[in-house]
Amino acid sequence: MLFNRHWLAILGLSAACLSGCGGGESAAPTAESGASKASASNEQAGSQLPTASIASAGNAAVPEEDDIKIEKPKEGTPEAKILEMTQLWLKPFPETDDVEKQREARRERNTKIIEMATDVIAVTHNDKEKEQLFNIGVHRLMEATFQLAMQGDQDSVNSLYENASALHSKNPKSKAAADAGWFVAKFADENAIRYASQDPRWVKEFSRQARSFAEKFPQDQNRALALLNDAALSCDVWGLTEDSIQCYAAIRQKYPESEQAEAAVAPLRRLNLPGNVVDLGGPTIDGGFVSVEEFKGSPVLIVFWSTEAKNFVDQSKDLIATTGKYESKGLHVIGVSVDTDELAIDKFAESSGMSWRNIYHADPAKRGWNSPVVTYYGVQNIPQMWLVGADGKVLSTGLQAKDLDATLAKVTGSAKSKPAATAAASLSDDAPEKKTEKK
């Protein structure tokens, strides 16, 4: 916390502390799918160095004319410190198989960068002419703090959030504030990737930070859209339906003209299905046609699957046996295969004993992830099971294999009496098994 407090003291928490750091919309690094790489952030900040500094670092070609001289920044100046930070960031770590030595080398590097970034911020935060240097200093500070936070340093985690909050409070339209907010969202994203299977709360935190970033920095459209889209997908995969809906809805509300807004229509249509009638049908692999409508009055299980989805293949024996047990009690099953090879489906059905009627198009252009049913409802991960009640209304779009037997017993009237809370829990989407995402 030493550097964080020092920096906050420099800013003075006064109304004028960021007066020289206006809200110019300079280019910002775009968040990559899942989680952005630190090197991308490094390249972004490095690309903003004054020309002389870049040339001195060997990162730009220098004209050979005799009358052109590019001097190295004077020692102790913000330009010199930024150049030194960039060189330190690019310097390779000593080769070693000792994990602790690697961690310590990273910790030492990031600590040094924080010290130098803090010095840069101290002498540039009130100088409009040095706004670019201030922005780079903040970026480097947040970048190094992020790295330490990812190593598990709790003081750095606190600094990451506190620094972002301080910058936004003093100048919410500044590029520095947007950079800081992005690193906070990125931290949540990285932890969601690491720990979602153990603690889905990190996925919810990523969703919250993505929506917060878009709310605070709507002008930073590229990064806001990337964060919202990634968060929506992550929440969808892990069964956090409401959070996913909120992220997709934010995309459509804040950036209605974007490609992502158009792409959000399909998953929103699917996520809002529970409690509504589903319109689903298509040609079958044997040349017939099947739809949910023809089975009205009976429960219907819809299974999105593929012979290439390991999770489905591993579960298929139990799934087929369980659904078979309830088909005699009125259950109907409709499969939606995302395979492109008809022979693969036939071979799997024969070897597994699958008797489901599967929606599958004769037109190769409408197979796989291009299946009209898949694209219309924005299905992005498999296996996936939807349950439709006898009244034609969707009960769940996230039914899990572990809950299948008890849930089908309930909807077919085969279940023994049990407390209402337990019965309701069998339809919960809040604790999904690990799924296979669309590739």
Side-chain angles (χ1 to χ4, degrees), residues 138-218:
V138 169
H139 189 99
R140 288 297 192 209
L141 176 71
M142 295 300 294
E143 187 173 45
T145 304
F146 166 82
Q147 293 291 333
L148 291 175
M150 289 303 301
Q151 283 189 299
D153 182 74
Q154 188 57 49
D155 282 349
S156 296
V157 174
N158 295 339
S159 293
L160 198 70
Y161 281 80
E162 290 169 5
N163 293 345
S165 178
L167 278 165
H168 180 261
S169 295
K170 297 311 171 184
N171 194 338
K173 294 184 179 181
S174 68
K175 183 186 183 301
D179 265 3
W182 181 74
F183 273 109
V184 171
K186 180 182 175 182
F187 177 70
D189 185 13
E190 291 282 2
N191 280 289
I193 292 171
R194 286 186 177 186
Y195 306 119
S197 58
Q198 294 88 14
D199 190 351
R201 287 179 297 180
W202 271 114
V203 183
K204 290 183 73 69
E205 172 65 3
F206 177 35
S207 168
R208 187 177 74 85
Q209 290 299 338
R211 286 181 279 119
S212 175
F213 184 91
E215 188 67 33
K216 292 177 178 177
F217 312 107

Side-chain angles (χ1 to χ4, degrees), residues 303-321:
V303 184
F304 293 84
W305 67 281
S306 169
T307 61
E308 297 181 353
K310 185 178 185 302
N311 283 358
F312 172 77
V313 173
D314 291 344
Q315 300 167 3
S316 60
K317 182 177 180 180
D318 290 338
L319 291 178
I320 292 170

Side-chain angles (χ1 to χ4, degrees), residues 27 37 63 81 97 101 117 130 138 140 150 171 177 187 211-212 217 254 256 295 314 318 322 344 348 357 367 378 405:
K37 303 300 181 185
K81 288 183 180 295
D97 294 329
K101 286 185 178 180
K130 294 183 178 180
V138 169
R140 288 297 192 209
M150 289 303 301
N171 194 338
F187 177 70
R211 286 181 279 119
S212 175
F217 312 107
K254 295 183 179 300
F295 301 125
D314 291 344
D318 290 338
T322 301
F348 181 82
R357 296 173 68 185
R367 295 179 181 177
D405 197 346

Side-chain angles (χ1 to χ4, degrees), residues 75-384:
E75 185 176 352
T77 63
E79 291 85 351
K81 288 183 180 295
I82 287 173
L83 176 58
E84 187 179 355
M85 282 189 282
T86 301
Q87 292 172 330
L88 180 59
W89 184 262
L90 296 174
K91 184 179 179 181
F93 293 110
E95 293 186 9
T96 175
D97 294 329
D98 190 322
V99 176
E100 284 305 314
K101 286 185 178 180
Q102 292 177 354
R103 287 175 58 87
E104 181 60 22
R106 284 176 167 78
R107 190 194 67 78
E108 290 180 358
R109 180 195 68 178
N110 288 311
T111 300
K112 290 179 181 178
I113 289 176
I114 289 174
E115 290 177 345
M116 289 185 283
T118 300
D119 290 341
V120 170
I121 293 169
V123 297
T124 61
H125 73 277
N126 269 335
D127 190 339
K128 181 65 177 178
E129 293 183 356
K130 294 183 178 180
E131 178 181 355
Q132 185 184 36
L133 300 176
F134 173 80
N135 289 339
I136 296 174
V138 169
H139 189 99
R140 288 297 192 209
L141 176 71
M142 295 300 294
E143 187 173 45
T145 304
F146 166 82
Q147 293 291 333
L148 291 175
M150 289 303 301
Q151 283 189 299
D153 182 74
Q154 188 57 49
D155 282 349
S156 296
V157 174
N158 295 339
S159 293
L160 198 70
Y161 281 80
E162 290 169 5
N163 293 345
S165 178
L167 278 165
H168 180 261
S169 295
K170 297 311 171 184
N171 194 338
K173 294 184 179 181
S174 68
K175 183 186 183 301
D179 265 3
W182 181 74
F183 273 109
V184 171
K186 180 182 175 182
F187 177 70
D189 185 13
E190 291 282 2
N191 280 289
I193 292 171
R194 286 186 177 186
Y195 306 119
S197 58
Q198 294 88 14
D199 190 351
R201 287 179 297 180
W202 271 114
V203 183
K204 290 183 73 69
E205 172 65 3
F206 177 35
S207 168
R208 187 177 74 85
Q209 290 299 338
R211 286 181 279 119
S212 175
F213 184 91
E215 188 67 33
K216 292 177 178 177
F217 312 107
Q219 74 280 4
D220 200 339
Q221 180 170 328
N222 288 341
R223 288 196 291 194
L225 281 171
L227 290 170
L228 286 171
N229 196 65
D230 284 353
L233 178 58
S234 295
C235 291
D236 190 3
V237 168
W238 291 101
L240 301 174
T241 301
E242 290 304 317
D243 292 89
S244 185
I245 289 174
Q246 289 178 27
C247 288
Y248 280 126
I251 290 174
R252 288 188 55 76
Q253 178 184 358
K254 295 183 179 300
Y255 309 104
E257 303 301 321
S258 66
E259 293 181 3
Q260 291 87 342
E262 182 179 354
V265 173
L268 278 173
R269 183 182 291 126
R270 168 174 47 81
L271 292 167
N272 284 300
L273 276 176
N276 296 304
V277 175
V278 62
D279 179 15
L280 186 147
T284 58
I285 198 168
D286 58 4
F289 189 90
V290 65
S291 70
V292 173
E293 177 64 24
E294 69 184 88
F295 301 125
K296 193 169 184 179
S298 300
V300 180
L301 182 70
I302 302 166
V303 184
F304 293 84
W305 67 281
S306 169
T307 61
E308 297 181 353
K310 185 178 185 302
N311 283 358
F312 172 77
V313 173
D314 291 344
Q315 300 167 3
S316 60
K317 182 177 180 180
D318 290 338
L319 291 178
I320 292 170
T322 301
T323 55
K325 182 169 67 172
Y326 293 101
E327 284 180 302
S328 62
K329 303 180 188 300
L331 176 71
H332 295 276
V333 182
I334 297 176
V336 181
S337 173
V338 297
D339 282 285
T340 56
D341 185 355
E342 184 175 342
L343 292 177
I345 298 176
D346 289 337
K347 182 178 179 180
F348 181 82
E350 182 178 353
S351 63
S352 65
M354 177 189 287
S355 60
W356 307 340
R357 296 173 68 185
N358 286 290
I359 294 176
Y360 190 79
H361 287 259
D363 183 354
K366 295 182 179 180
R367 295 179 181 177
W369 294 103
N370 292 321
S371 165
V373 172
V374 171
T375 58
Y376 184 74
Y377 287 108
V379 174
Q380 300 177 81
N381 58 83
I382 55 174
Q384 190 169 136

Side-chain angles (χ1 to χ4, degrees), residues 412-425:
T412 59
S414 306
K416 296 180 181 180
S417 60
K418 56 182 178 179
T422 303

Side-chain angles (χ1 to χ4, degrees), residues 46-72:
S47 69
Q48 297 174 344
L49 284 171
T51 303
S53 297
I54 296 175
S56 300
N59 291 331
V62 180
E64 296 181 355
E65 286 82 349
D66 293 336
D67 59 341
I68 296 179
K69 296 182 180 180
I70 297 183
E71 299 180 357
K72 183 177 180 179

